[in-house]
Amino acid sequence: IVVHATQMIYHLAVSHFLPTPSKSHYVFNLRDFARVIHGFLLLKPEALNDCSDPTGKITRLWIHEVYRVFYDRLVDDIDRKSFFEIVDKCVVTQFKIKFRELFTHLVDNGTEFGDETLRKLYFGDFVNGGQKGYDEVTNFSDLKETMGRYLYDYNSESKAPMDLVLFGFAIEHISRVNRILLQPKGHALLVGIDGCGRRSVTRLASFIASYQVFQIEVTRNYSFNDWRDDIRKMLLDAGTAGKSTVFLLADNQLKEESYLEDINTLLNTADIPNLYDAEERAEIIDKMQKVAQERGVKVEVATQSSMYNLFIERVRHHLHIVIAMSPIGDAFRNRLRMFPSLINCCTINWFQVWPEDALEMVANYYLDDVEMDARVRVESVSLCKYFHESIRALSNRYEESLGRHNYVTPTSYLDLIRLFKNLLAHKRLDILTLKNRYLTGLQKLDFASSQISVMQTDLTNLKPELIYTSEETEKLIDYIKEEKVTVDGKRK
């Protein structure tokens, strides 16, 4: 049933979702069919032992896998709604089950069953308090708590901790990337505008899977030789040392298109022709002979060719490539046309715009350290959401009327919140400065008033003495006058 249902979905997807200039990645092949089956096989039979409805669980798993392979690449709501109807039809036709009955536990009271409901459908190996084992996640609160613990552990161990808000949208993409990494030869193409969190979710998903993340450091003097050196180092780690590695590459790191040519070859064959010189190749073969002996790997004939093929096979097993690209401009479409392995060998995950719950959680997170009344905080968050959503709606109208794009990115939203915080802090500082000046002036006036009161008291106390002194002075003046008259008389 699963195979026939997957075949039906595949044919319907090929006929309904045709490639266009704006949807050049709508290209499906039998590898997508295989990815659904591989994802389905991640669930072990033991996971069904304690399940009250194994048929329903298996059907939900199949729906989850076809959604991850086919649905996650869709770019607009019209296509997503069409795919929802296709899956609905397929479930009724093949599994003989009503679609809605499978998700009664996900439908909240008063809400309508639809495409948004399936956002709450999760399968992963991080359930049951983080214990490994691919299974359905039925409690989103536990999932969020588990993701929070992983993020805390990552930040504790990493030299570059992430300031990541774990809203539902982010957890969805972490789960999707983690699922890709669990699959054999699992590679991902993450498509979204800058700032949507492609690299952050990849790092956390890799940490959950216990994989190391390898990234190149592009500088002004970074050359093609440096690129090849980095590729050699990464492949040796994966092939000879057997380290599970995620190669995370963003499109802004592609100084030359030849980088993508190497990636295209790696995705296809896990090797790049003429990458190693004779000495390096001999060293690889020597190391692989030791690995084969230590691990008891059976090789029919221990020739140089067989040892090198073993190295390639280990690279293919341990290396996962995750490419983060932006759909803005013609570069994305041209690269997909020139390097078809980006579609054929990768599971595509299209990052949609942040939903309202994500905007609200992000605003609350960044405004948490700002001292304000609870009502003012709620209104501030609502205002940030309104600004972002209204500008996005206005940009859509601008595109419809003039055919020109104005991209409203998550980075713009974060900049808006930072601007609000900085402006609020600046205005509060200005008001506090004026307040302090006013208080200082009042203190000065109060001090002057108290000093005047003291002086008046002193004057009152000194008044009798002043009167006595004044009388004595007048007597002295009279005496002097009399003496002066006497002296003047004697002179005459």
PDB file of all heavy atoms in Angstrom, residues 195-228:
ATOM      1  N   GLY A 195      18.443  35.843   6.756  1.00  0.00           N
ATOM      2  CA  GLY A 195      17.907  36.141   8.078  1.00  0.00           C
ATOM      3  C   GLY A 195      16.793  35.223   8.532  1.00  0.00           C
ATOM      4  O   GLY A 195      16.274  35.377   9.639  1.00  0.00           O
ATOM      5  N   CYS A 196      16.408  34.242   7.678  1.00  0.00           N
ATOM      6  CA  CYS A 196      15.287  33.372   8.058  1.00  0.00           C
ATOM      7  C   CYS A 196      15.732  32.213   8.945  1.00  0.00           C
ATOM      8  O   CYS A 196      14.902  31.426   9.402  1.00  0.00           O
ATOM      9  CB  CYS A 196      14.567  32.854   6.820  1.00  0.00           C
ATOM     10  SG  CYS A 196      15.591  31.844   5.738  1.00  0.00           S
ATOM     11  N   GLY A 197      17.040  32.064   9.197  1.00  0.00           N
ATOM     12  CA  GLY A 197      17.512  31.065  10.161  1.00  0.00           C
ATOM     13  C   GLY A 197      17.977  29.761   9.552  1.00  0.00           C
ATOM     14  O   GLY A 197      18.042  28.740  10.239  1.00  0.00           O
ATOM     15  N   ARG A 198      18.356  29.758   8.268  1.00  0.00           N
ATOM     16  CA  ARG A 198      18.764  28.512   7.617  1.00  0.00           C
ATOM     17  C   ARG A 198      19.987  27.896   8.289  1.00  0.00           C
ATOM     18  O   ARG A 198      20.026  26.695   8.571  1.00  0.00           O
ATOM     19  CB  ARG A 198      19.069  28.785   6.134  1.00  0.00           C
ATOM     20  CG  ARG A 198      17.886  29.268   5.317  1.00  0.00           C
ATOM     21  CD  ARG A 198      18.334  29.902   4.010  1.00  0.00           C
ATOM     22  NE  ARG A 198      19.195  31.066   4.271  1.00  0.00           N
ATOM     23  CZ  ARG A 198      19.822  31.735   3.331  1.00  0.00           C
ATOM     24  NH1 ARG A 198      19.714  31.357   2.071  1.00  0.00           N
ATOM     25  NH2 ARG A 198      20.576  32.781   3.639  1.00  0.00           N
ATOM     26  N   ARG A 199      21.000  28.716   8.550  1.00  0.00           N
ATOM     27  CA  ARG A 199      22.242  28.188   9.126  1.00  0.00           C
ATOM     28  C   ARG A 199      22.080  27.845  10.599  1.00  0.00           C
ATOM     29  O   ARG A 199      22.659  26.871  11.093  1.00  0.00           O
ATOM     30  CB  ARG A 199      23.370  29.189   8.911  1.00  0.00           C
ATOM     31  CG  ARG A 199      23.917  29.176   7.490  1.00  0.00           C
ATOM     32  CD  ARG A 199      25.002  30.189   7.245  1.00  0.00           C
ATOM     33  NE  ARG A 199      24.454  31.524   7.001  1.00  0.00           N
ATOM     34  CZ  ARG A 199      25.157  32.543   6.572  1.00  0.00           C
ATOM     35  NH1 ARG A 199      26.447  32.407   6.335  1.00  0.00           N
ATOM     36  NH2 ARG A 199      24.598  33.717   6.357  1.00  0.00           N
ATOM     37  N   SER A 200      21.283  28.620  11.308  1.00  0.00           N
ATOM     38  CA  SER A 200      21.076  28.360  12.739  1.00  0.00           C
ATOM     39  C   SER A 200      20.386  27.017  12.962  1.00  0.00           C
ATOM     40  O   SER A 200      20.799  26.223  13.818  1.00  0.00           O
ATOM     41  CB  SER A 200      20.252  29.489  13.371  1.00  0.00           C
ATOM     42  OG  SER A 200      20.942  30.716  13.306  1.00  0.00           O
ATOM     43  N   VAL A 201      19.317  26.750  12.192  1.00  0.00           N
ATOM     44  CA  VAL A 201      18.600  25.484  12.377  1.00  0.00           C
ATOM     45  C   VAL A 201      19.481  24.306  11.951  1.00  0.00           C
ATOM     46  O   VAL A 201      19.403  23.217  12.544  1.00  0.00           O
ATOM     47  CB  VAL A 201      17.262  25.478  11.599  1.00  0.00           C
ATOM     48  CG1 VAL A 201      16.352  26.592  12.073  1.00  0.00           C
ATOM     49  CG2 VAL A 201      17.463  25.563  10.098  1.00  0.00           C
ATOM     50  N   THR A 202      20.359  24.520  10.960  1.00  0.00           N
ATOM     51  CA  THR A 202      21.257  23.447  10.533  1.00  0.00           C
ATOM     52  C   THR A 202      22.261  23.110  11.632  1.00  0.00           C
ATOM     53  O   THR A 202      22.530  21.928  11.900  1.00  0.00           O
ATOM     54  CB  THR A 202      22.000  23.853   9.247  1.00  0.00           C
ATOM     55  OG1 THR A 202      21.049  24.146   8.223  1.00  0.00           O
ATOM     56  CG2 THR A 202      22.922  22.740   8.780  1.00  0.00           C
ATOM     57  N   ARG A 203      22.807  24.136  12.266  1.00  0.00           N
ATOM     58  CA  ARG A 203      23.772  23.887  13.340  1.00  0.00           C
ATOM     59  C   ARG A 203      23.131  23.113  14.490  1.00  0.00           C
ATOM     60  O   ARG A 203      23.721  22.168  15.027  1.00  0.00           O
ATOM     61  CB  ARG A 203      24.340  25.220  13.842  1.00  0.00           C
ATOM     62  CG  ARG A 203      25.234  25.930  12.832  1.00  0.00           C
ATOM     63  CD  ARG A 203      25.924  27.125  13.466  1.00  0.00           C
ATOM     64  NE  ARG A 203      26.618  27.936  12.464  1.00  0.00           N
ATOM     65  CZ  ARG A 203      26.130  29.072  11.959  1.00  0.00           C
ATOM     66  NH1 ARG A 203      24.956  29.527  12.379  1.00  0.00           N
ATOM     67  NH2 ARG A 203      26.807  29.747  11.058  1.00  0.00           N
ATOM     68  N   LEU A 204      21.919  23.524  14.881  1.00  0.00           N
ATOM     69  CA  LEU A 204      21.265  22.842  15.998  1.00  0.00           C
ATOM     70  C   LEU A 204      20.834  21.432  15.605  1.00  0.00           C
ATOM     71  O   LEU A 204      20.982  20.489  16.400  1.00  0.00           O
ATOM     72  CB  LEU A 204      20.054  23.652  16.480  1.00  0.00           C
ATOM     73  CG  LEU A 204      19.383  23.146  17.763  1.00  0.00           C
ATOM     74  CD1 LEU A 204      20.407  23.024  18.880  1.00  0.00           C
ATOM     75  CD2 LEU A 204      18.259  24.073  18.194  1.00  0.00           C
ATOM     76  N   ALA A 205      20.337  21.258  14.390  1.00  0.00           N
ATOM     77  CA  ALA A 205      19.952  19.919  13.925  1.00  0.00           C
ATOM     78  C   ALA A 205      21.165  18.994  13.865  1.00  0.00           C
ATOM     79  O   ALA A 205      21.074  17.812  14.212  1.00  0.00           O
ATOM     80  CB  ALA A 205      19.290  20.010  12.552  1.00  0.00           C
ATOM     81  N   SER A 206      22.304  19.522  13.453  1.00  0.00           N
ATOM     82  CA  SER A 206      23.543  18.724  13.408  1.00  0.00           C
ATOM     83  C   SER A 206      23.990  18.353  14.822  1.00  0.00           C
ATOM     84  O   SER A 206      24.445  17.224  15.065  1.00  0.00           O
ATOM     85  CB  SER A 206      24.654  19.517  12.712  1.00  0.00           C
ATOM     86  OG  SER A 206      24.263  19.898  11.415  1.00  0.00           O
ATOM     87  N   PHE A 207      23.831  19.281  15.764  1.00  0.00           N
ATOM     88  CA  PHE A 207      24.199  18.999  17.150  1.00  0.00           C
ATOM     89  C   PHE A 207      23.310  17.897  17.716  1.00  0.00           C
ATOM     90  O   PHE A 207      23.790  17.005  18.441  1.00  0.00           O
ATOM     91  CB  PHE A 207      24.062  20.276  17.981  1.00  0.00           C
ATOM     92  CG  PHE A 207      24.406  20.107  19.428  1.00  0.00           C
ATOM     93  CD1 PHE A 207      25.725  20.064  19.849  1.00  0.00           C
ATOM     94  CD2 PHE A 207      23.399  19.977  20.380  1.00  0.00           C
ATOM     95  CE1 PHE A 207      26.049  19.894  21.189  1.00  0.00           C
ATOM     96  CE2 PHE A 207      23.711  19.817  21.714  1.00  0.00           C
ATOM     97  CZ  PHE A 207      25.031  19.774  22.126  1.00  0.00           C
ATOM     98  N   ILE A 208      22.005  17.946  17.393  1.00  0.00           N
ATOM     99  CA  ILE A 208      21.083  16.921  17.877  1.00  0.00           C
ATOM    100  C   ILE A 208      21.479  15.552  17.330  1.00  0.00           C
ATOM    101  O   ILE A 208      21.413  14.543  18.034  1.00  0.00           O
ATOM    102  CB  ILE A 208      19.636  17.273  17.469  1.00  0.00           C
ATOM    103  CG1 ILE A 208      19.172  18.534  18.215  1.00  0.00           C
ATOM    104  CG2 ILE A 208      18.684  16.122  17.753  1.00  0.00           C
ATOM    105  CD1 ILE A 208      17.845  19.073  17.745  1.00  0.00           C
ATOM    106  N   ALA A 209      21.926  15.521  16.069  1.00  0.00           N
ATOM    107  CA  ALA A 209      22.336  14.258  15.447  1.00  0.00           C
ATOM    108  C   ALA A 209      23.766  13.857  15.811  1.00  0.00           C
ATOM    109  O   ALA A 209      24.252  12.826  15.337  1.00  0.00           O
ATOM    110  CB  ALA A 209      22.206  14.374  13.927  1.00  0.00           C
ATOM    111  N   SER A 210      24.438  14.683  16.629  1.00  0.00           N
ATOM    112  CA  SER A 210      25.836  14.427  17.054  1.00  0.00           C
ATOM    113  C   SER A 210      26.794  14.447  15.866  1.00  0.00           C
ATOM    114  O   SER A 210      27.729  13.638  15.774  1.00  0.00           O
ATOM    115  CB  SER A 210      25.946  13.097  17.799  1.00  0.00           C
ATOM    116  OG  SER A 210      25.131  13.098  18.943  1.00  0.00           O
ATOM    117  N   TYR A 211      26.554  15.358  14.921  1.00  0.00           N
ATOM    118  CA  TYR A 211      27.447  15.542  13.781  1.00  0.00           C
ATOM    119  C   TYR A 211      28.237  16.835  13.970  1.00  0.00           C
ATOM    120  O   TYR A 211      27.734  17.797  14.551  1.00  0.00           O
ATOM    121  CB  TYR A 211      26.663  15.654  12.468  1.00  0.00           C
ATOM    122  CG  TYR A 211      25.946  14.390  12.036  1.00  0.00           C
ATOM    123  CD1 TYR A 211      25.062  14.402  10.965  1.00  0.00           C
ATOM    124  CD2 TYR A 211      26.156  13.186  12.694  1.00  0.00           C
ATOM    125  CE1 TYR A 211      24.404  13.251  10.562  1.00  0.00           C
ATOM    126  CE2 TYR A 211      25.507  12.033  12.303  1.00  0.00           C
ATOM    127  CZ  TYR A 211      24.622  12.070  11.242  1.00  0.00           C
ATOM    128  OH  TYR A 211      23.977  10.931  10.848  1.00  0.00           O
ATOM    129  N   GLN A 212      29.466  16.852  13.463  1.00  0.00           N
ATOM    130  CA  GLN A 212      30.238  18.085  13.477  1.00  0.00           C
ATOM    131  C   GLN A 212      29.895  18.914  12.237  1.00  0.00           C
ATOM    132  O   GLN A 212      29.575  18.369  11.177  1.00  0.00           O
ATOM    133  CB  GLN A 212      31.736  17.798  13.510  1.00  0.00           C
ATOM    134  CG  GLN A 212      32.288  17.172  12.239  1.00  0.00           C
ATOM    135  CD  GLN A 212      33.802  17.080  12.235  1.00  0.00           C
ATOM    136  OE1 GLN A 212      34.447  17.356  13.239  1.00  0.00           O
ATOM    137  NE2 GLN A 212      34.390  16.681  11.114  1.00  0.00           N
ATOM    138  N   VAL A 213      29.923  20.236  12.396  1.00  0.00           N
ATOM    139  CA  VAL A 213      29.605  21.141  11.290  1.00  0.00           C
ATOM    140  C   VAL A 213      30.903  21.719  10.748  1.00  0.00           C
ATOM    141  O   VAL A 213      31.718  22.261  11.503  1.00  0.00           O
ATOM    142  CB  VAL A 213      28.666  22.276  11.749  1.00  0.00           C
ATOM    143  CG1 VAL A 213      28.419  23.258  10.602  1.00  0.00           C
ATOM    144  CG2 VAL A 213      27.343  21.702  12.237  1.00  0.00           C
ATOM    145  N   PHE A 214      31.089  21.594   9.439  1.00  0.00           N
ATOM    146  CA  PHE A 214      32.278  22.136   8.787  1.00  0.00           C
ATOM    147  C   PHE A 214      31.852  23.304   7.909  1.00  0.00           C
ATOM    148  O   PHE A 214      30.927  23.191   7.096  1.00  0.00           O
ATOM    149  CB  PHE A 214      32.961  21.059   7.933  1.00  0.00           C
ATOM    150  CG  PHE A 214      34.218  21.526   7.264  1.00  0.00           C
ATOM    151  CD1 PHE A 214      35.444  21.453   7.916  1.00  0.00           C
ATOM    152  CD2 PHE A 214      34.192  22.062   5.976  1.00  0.00           C
ATOM    153  CE1 PHE A 214      36.610  21.889   7.303  1.00  0.00           C
ATOM    154  CE2 PHE A 214      35.345  22.503   5.357  1.00  0.00           C
ATOM    155  CZ  PHE A 214      36.554  22.415   6.029  1.00  0.00           C
ATOM    156  N   GLN A 215      32.515  24.442   8.091  1.00  0.00           N
ATOM    157  CA  GLN A 215      32.248  25.624   7.279  1.00  0.00           C
ATOM    158  C   GLN A 215      33.558  26.244   6.822  1.00  0.00           C
ATOM    159  O   GLN A 215      34.555  26.206   7.542  1.00  0.00           O
ATOM    160  CB  GLN A 215      31.458  26.668   8.068  1.00  0.00           C
ATOM    161  CG  GLN A 215      29.999  26.330   8.295  1.00  0.00           C
ATOM    162  CD  GLN A 215      29.268  27.453   9.012  1.00  0.00           C
ATOM    163  OE1 GLN A 215      29.275  27.535  10.237  1.00  0.00           O
ATOM    164  NE2 GLN A 215      28.650  28.335   8.247  1.00  0.00           N
ATOM    165  N   ILE A 216      33.543  26.814   5.631  1.00  0.00           N
ATOM    166  CA  ILE A 216      34.719  27.528   5.164  1.00  0.00           C
ATOM    167  C   ILE A 216      34.672  28.964   5.682  1.00  0.00           C
ATOM    168  O   ILE A 216      33.594  29.509   5.946  1.00  0.00           O
ATOM    169  CB  ILE A 216      34.799  27.523   3.621  1.00  0.00           C
ATOM    170  CG1 ILE A 216      33.582  28.224   3.006  1.00  0.00           C
ATOM    171  CG2 ILE A 216      34.927  26.113   3.097  1.00  0.00           C
ATOM    172  CD1 ILE A 216      33.680  28.395   1.499  1.00  0.00           C
ATOM    173  N   GLU A 217      35.841  29.553   5.859  1.00  0.00           N
ATOM    174  CA  GLU A 217      35.939  30.943   6.290  1.00  0.00           C
ATOM    175  C   GLU A 217      36.455  31.770   5.111  1.00  0.00           C
ATOM    176  O   GLU A 217      37.638  31.754   4.803  1.00  0.00           O
ATOM    177  CB  GLU A 217      36.874  31.071   7.492  1.00  0.00           C
ATOM    178  CG  GLU A 217      36.355  30.368   8.737  1.00  0.00           C
ATOM    179  CD  GLU A 217      37.270  30.569   9.923  1.00  0.00           C
ATOM    180  OE1 GLU A 217      38.219  31.391   9.818  1.00  0.00           O
ATOM    181  OE2 GLU A 217      37.056  29.904  10.955  1.00  0.00           O
ATOM    182  N   VAL A 218      35.543  32.456   4.470  1.00  0.00           N
ATOM    183  CA  VAL A 218      35.886  33.211   3.268  1.00  0.00           C
ATOM    184  C   VAL A 218      36.404  34.590   3.653  1.00  0.00           C
ATOM    185  O   VAL A 218      35.733  35.344   4.355  1.00  0.00           O
ATOM    186  CB  VAL A 218      34.661  33.350   2.339  1.00  0.00           C
ATOM    187  CG1 VAL A 218      35.022  34.163   1.108  1.00  0.00           C
ATOM    188  CG2 VAL A 218      34.152  31.973   1.934  1.00  0.00           C
ATOM    189  N   THR A 219      37.613  34.880   3.214  1.00  0.00           N
ATOM    190  CA  THR A 219      38.209  36.203   3.424  1.00  0.00           C
ATOM    191  C   THR A 219      38.443  36.854   2.063  1.00  0.00           C
ATOM    192  O   THR A 219      38.161  36.261   1.007  1.00  0.00           O
ATOM    193  CB  THR A 219      39.532  36.083   4.190  1.00  0.00           C
ATOM    194  OG1 THR A 219      40.448  35.291   3.414  1.00  0.00           O
ATOM    195  CG2 THR A 219      39.325  35.414   5.544  1.00  0.00           C
ATOM    196  N   ARG A 220      38.963  38.055   2.097  1.00  0.00           N
ATOM    197  CA  ARG A 220      39.215  38.751   0.839  1.00  0.00           C
ATOM    198  C   ARG A 220      40.238  38.025  -0.015  1.00  0.00           C
ATOM    199  O   ARG A 220      40.182  38.055  -1.248  1.00  0.00           O
ATOM    200  CB  ARG A 220      39.694  40.183   1.142  1.00  0.00           C
ATOM    201  CG  ARG A 220      39.802  41.072  -0.097  1.00  0.00           C
ATOM    202  CD  ARG A 220      40.115  42.501   0.284  1.00  0.00           C
ATOM    203  NE  ARG A 220      41.389  42.605   0.985  1.00  0.00           N
ATOM    204  CZ  ARG A 220      41.915  43.737   1.434  1.00  0.00           C
ATOM    205  NH1 ARG A 220      41.242  44.873   1.275  1.00  0.00           N
ATOM    206  NH2 ARG A 220      43.072  43.756   2.062  1.00  0.00           N
ATOM    207  N   ASN A 221      41.193  37.360   0.638  1.00  0.00           N
ATOM    208  CA  ASN A 221      42.261  36.678  -0.099  1.00  0.00           C
ATOM    209  C   ASN A 221      41.982  35.186  -0.311  1.00  0.00           C
ATOM    210  O   ASN A 221      42.862  34.437  -0.732  1.00  0.00           O
ATOM    211  CB  ASN A 221      43.588  36.830   0.660  1.00  0.00           C
ATOM    212  CG  ASN A 221      43.997  38.291   0.779  1.00  0.00           C
ATOM    213  OD1 ASN A 221      43.795  39.080  -0.148  1.00  0.00           O
ATOM    214  ND2 ASN A 221      44.562  38.662   1.925  1.00  0.00           N
ATOM    215  N   TYR A 222      40.749  34.749   0.021  1.00  0.00           N
ATOM    216  CA  TYR A 222      40.399  33.335  -0.123  1.00  0.00           C
ATOM    217  C   TYR A 222      40.376  32.976  -1.606  1.00  0.00           C
ATOM    218  O   TYR A 222      39.708  33.627  -2.414  1.00  0.00           O
ATOM    219  CB  TYR A 222      39.029  33.087   0.497  1.00  0.00           C
ATOM    220  CG  TYR A 222      38.673  31.635   0.669  1.00  0.00           C
ATOM    221  CD1 TYR A 222      39.106  30.912   1.783  1.00  0.00           C
ATOM    222  CD2 TYR A 222      37.891  30.971  -0.274  1.00  0.00           C
ATOM    223  CE1 TYR A 222      38.764  29.584   1.945  1.00  0.00           C
ATOM    224  CE2 TYR A 222      37.549  29.646  -0.119  1.00  0.00           C
ATOM    225  CZ  TYR A 222      37.991  28.950   1.003  1.00  0.00           C
ATOM    226  OH  TYR A 222      37.651  27.629   1.169  1.00  0.00           O
ATOM    227  N   SER A 223      41.124  31.936  -1.957  1.00  0.00           N
ATOM    228  CA  SER A 223      41.272  31.567  -3.370  1.00  0.00           C
ATOM    229  C   SER A 223      40.727  30.165  -3.624  1.00  0.00           C
ATOM    230  O   SER A 223      40.320  29.450  -2.687  1.00  0.00           O
ATOM    231  CB  SER A 223      42.749  31.625  -3.774  1.00  0.00           C
ATOM    232  OG  SER A 223      43.497  30.650  -3.056  1.00  0.00           O
ATOM    233  N   PHE A 224      40.768  29.753  -4.891  1.00  0.00           N
ATOM    234  CA  PHE A 224      40.302  28.415  -5.263  1.00  0.00           C
ATOM    235  C   PHE A 224      41.187  27.338  -4.630  1.00  0.00           C
ATOM    236  O   PHE A 224      40.695  26.263  -4.257  1.00  0.00           O
ATOM    237  CB  PHE A 224      40.291  28.273  -6.787  1.00  0.00           C
ATOM    238  CG  PHE A 224      39.748  26.966  -7.258  1.00  0.00           C
ATOM    239  CD1 PHE A 224      38.392  26.689  -7.185  1.00  0.00           C
ATOM    240  CD2 PHE A 224      40.595  25.996  -7.788  1.00  0.00           C
ATOM    241  CE1 PHE A 224      37.884  25.467  -7.618  1.00  0.00           C
ATOM    242  CE2 PHE A 224      40.102  24.780  -8.227  1.00  0.00           C
ATOM    243  CZ  PHE A 224      38.738  24.515  -8.141  1.00  0.00           C
ATOM    244  N   ASN A 225      42.484  27.607  -4.486  1.00  0.00           N
ATOM    245  CA  ASN A 225      43.385  26.653  -3.827  1.00  0.00           C
ATOM    246  C   ASN A 225      43.009  26.467  -2.362  1.00  0.00           C
ATOM    247  O   ASN A 225      43.067  25.351  -1.825  1.00  0.00           O
ATOM    248  CB  ASN A 225      44.837  27.117  -3.954  1.00  0.00           C
ATOM    249  CG  ASN A 225      45.364  27.010  -5.373  1.00  0.00           C
ATOM    250  OD1 ASN A 225      44.910  26.168  -6.141  1.00  0.00           O
ATOM    251  ND2 ASN A 225      46.306  27.875  -5.735  1.00  0.00           N
ATOM    252  N   ASP A 226      42.622  27.567  -1.698  1.00  0.00           N
ATOM    253  CA  ASP A 226      42.167  27.464  -0.303  1.00  0.00           C
ATOM    254  C   ASP A 226      40.899  26.626  -0.223  1.00  0.00           C
ATOM    255  O   ASP A 226      40.722  25.828   0.706  1.00  0.00           O
ATOM    256  CB  ASP A 226      41.900  28.858   0.272  1.00  0.00           C
ATOM    257  CG  ASP A 226      43.153  29.705   0.348  1.00  0.00           C
ATOM    258  OD1 ASP A 226      44.224  29.143   0.644  1.00  0.00           O
ATOM    259  OD2 ASP A 226      43.072  30.928   0.078  1.00  0.00           O
ATOM    260  N   TRP A 227      40.010  26.838  -1.200  1.00  0.00           N
ATOM    261  CA  TRP A 227      38.777  26.049  -1.252  1.00  0.00           C
ATOM    262  C   TRP A 227      39.092  24.553  -1.378  1.00  0.00           C
ATOM    263  O   TRP A 227      38.532  23.725  -0.652  1.00  0.00           O
ATOM    264  CB  TRP A 227      37.929  26.524  -2.435  1.00  0.00           C
ATOM    265  CG  TRP A 227      36.889  25.563  -2.915  1.00  0.00           C
ATOM    266  CD1 TRP A 227      36.971  24.724  -3.981  1.00  0.00           C
ATOM    267  CD2 TRP A 227      35.586  25.346  -2.343  1.00  0.00           C
ATOM    268  NE1 TRP A 227      35.817  24.000  -4.126  1.00  0.00           N
ATOM    269  CE2 TRP A 227      34.944  24.359  -3.129  1.00  0.00           C
ATOM    270  CE3 TRP A 227      34.909  25.877  -1.258  1.00  0.00           C
ATOM    271  CZ2 TRP A 227      33.672  23.901  -2.857  1.00  0.00           C
ATOM    272  CZ3 TRP A 227      33.631  25.419  -0.979  1.00  0.00           C
ATOM    273  CH2 TRP A 227      33.020  24.454  -1.771  1.00  0.00           C
ATOM    274  N   ARG A 228      40.001  24.212  -2.262  1.00  0.00           N
ATOM    275  CA  ARG A 228      40.358  22.808  -2.459  1.00  0.00           C
ATOM    276  C   ARG A 228      41.021  22.226  -1.199  1.00  0.00           C
ATOM    277  O   ARG A 228      40.800  21.062  -0.845  1.00  0.00           O
ATOM    278  CB  ARG A 228      41.284  22.672  -3.664  1.00  0.00           C
ATOM    279  CG  ARG A 228      40.552  22.696  -5.022  1.00  0.00           C
ATOM    280  CD  ARG A 228      39.677  21.471  -5.159  1.00  0.00           C
ATOM    281  NE  ARG A 228      38.906  21.418  -6.377  1.00  0.00           N
ATOM    282  CZ  ARG A 228      39.297  20.849  -7.512  1.00  0.00           C
ATOM    283  NH1 ARG A 228      40.512  20.337  -7.611  1.00  0.00           N
ATOM    284  NH2 ARG A 228      38.483  20.787  -8.541  1.00  0.00           N
TER     285      ARG A 228
END
